[in-house]
Amino acid sequence: MRFFIQRDRLVQSVQDVMKAVTSRTTIPILTGIKVVATEDGVTLTGSDSDISIESFLPKEEDGNEIVEIHQTGGVVLQAKFFSEIVKKLPSDTVEIEVGNHFQTVIRSGQTEFNLNGLDHEEYPHLPQIIEENVFKIPTDLLKAMIRQTVFAVSTSETRPILTGVNWKIENGELSCIATDSHRLAMRKAPVEITDGVTYNVVIPGKSLNELSKILDDTQEPVEIVITENQILFKTKHLLFFSRLLEGSYPDTTRLIPTDGKTDIHLNTKEFLQAIDRASLLAREGKNNVVKLSTLENGMIEISSNSPEIGKVVEHVTSESIEGEELKISFSAKYMMDALKAIEGPEISIRFTGAMRPFIIRPIDNDSILQLILPVRTY
């Protein structure tokens, strides 16, 4: 195998596939990156058997030559060294040549590296996915949906299913739900899909985080294919495979209260900053709890008290308060995470009593919802 390639495009591709490579694997060859040159261009692959990423560099794009293929073939190179080497090469063009026994030479400018490679035929094959019902979603919307839900997945392995985000597609609408049983994040959006096609799958939160890092902020559509145990995201030159979590996701619709006793309408940024300040003392007290109380004249009081450090009290003017008086305590971190995920200058919070979950929504937007369970404080 021998080809010449633009260095910056190679670096970008290596960085993308590196997101799937792990040093902690029982299959030694997976610590490497597979490089394959064909008549059409060069494909790089990284995998940890949960996530697999394939990046394709075509021979030319928009009239610019990216790769010049002299001889087709393939090799697997140690990811750690290969990625460090390509980042530090001196010249804009890189030559990669594989000789006998997969000895690989990487040349650039006056620099030459020799690396021991492995047989690319021994690299596990990527899942074969039959593309029946492909649906599409704009890249920037997909990134937003991930950002607004994935933070609420559970980090504990006691209930593995909760470490993923539940994706449901029904009637042309995708709803993403994540919960760690103390809070819940939900986001909905319309998708282009064949009529009558429904899905209900759970995607590992880790996979979605990595996917989000790779995607550009464009409006180009991402094609998504779901099978029994895999999901594939396809962009122009990238394939991102993830396994799905096994098991059924709990029915979260029961958690979301339909009635409310107290409705508060607030400026998102002001409220977020007030919670942030109150949490300065709460964080030290290990419990991170802040208290919210409604006062007269549309004022709310946010306070936090750590006996060994001190206390903070802050008054925030709400746009409006309707319903019963309220005193409630909750995790400042959960509230801040939820507020950061909500797009919109103003929010409404609906409470159903001091010990029931409450809902945060942007005003006039039903596509996004955050739910938090309060904390008992005596």
Side-chain angles (χ1 to χ4, degrees), residues 253-318:
T253 45
R254 296 172 302 135
L255 290 173
I256 298 166
T258 46
D259 52 336
K261 292 182 177 170
T262 315
D263 283 323
I264 303 181
H265 178 167
L266 289 155
N267 175 298
T268 314
K269 193 173 168 189
E270 276 178 25
F271 186 53
L272 173 58
Q273 289 171 343
I275 298 285
D276 196 2
R277 287 188 289 269
S279 79
L280 291 173
L281 299 187
R283 259 204 311 266
E284 293 298 323
K286 301 278 186 290
N287 52 5
N288 209 346
V289 172
V290 296
K291 206 174 206 166
L292 180 149
S293 315
T294 54
L295 307 172
E296 307 278 288
N297 308 331
M299 293 294 275
I300 60 170
E301 180 180 283
I302 292 162
S303 60
S304 170
N305 182 9
S306 297
E308 57 278 20
I309 302 150
K311 67 178 187 179
V312 50
V313 176
E314 174 146 5
H315 292 125
V316 178
T317 311
S318 70

Side-chain angles (χ1 to χ4, degrees), residues 112-167:
E112 182 175 303
F113 281 93
N114 282 276
L115 280 183
N116 302 330
L118 295 166
D119 184 353
H120 64 287
E121 295 291 347
E122 292 181 7
Y123 195 88
H125 289 291
L126 289 189
Q128 289 303 307
I129 286 187
I130 300 156
E131 299 181 22
E132 288 181 311
N133 296 310
V134 179
F135 64 95
K136 293 180 184 170
I137 221 175
T139 309
D140 47 3
L141 174 61
L142 175 60
K143 281 186 79 156
M145 293 184 80
I146 293 173
R147 184 179 64 80
Q148 289 164 337
T149 51
V150 75
F151 66 86
V153 300
S154 172
T155 49
S156 138
E157 286 294 334
T158 45
R159 289 183 69 190
I161 197 81
L162 295 186
T163 61
V165 181
N166 184 203
W167 278 29

Side-chain angles (χ1 to χ4, degrees), residues 174-185:
L174 166 63
S175 76
C176 306
I177 294 172
T179 179
D180 60 5
S181 71
H182 301 289
R183 56 173 166 178
L184 176 144

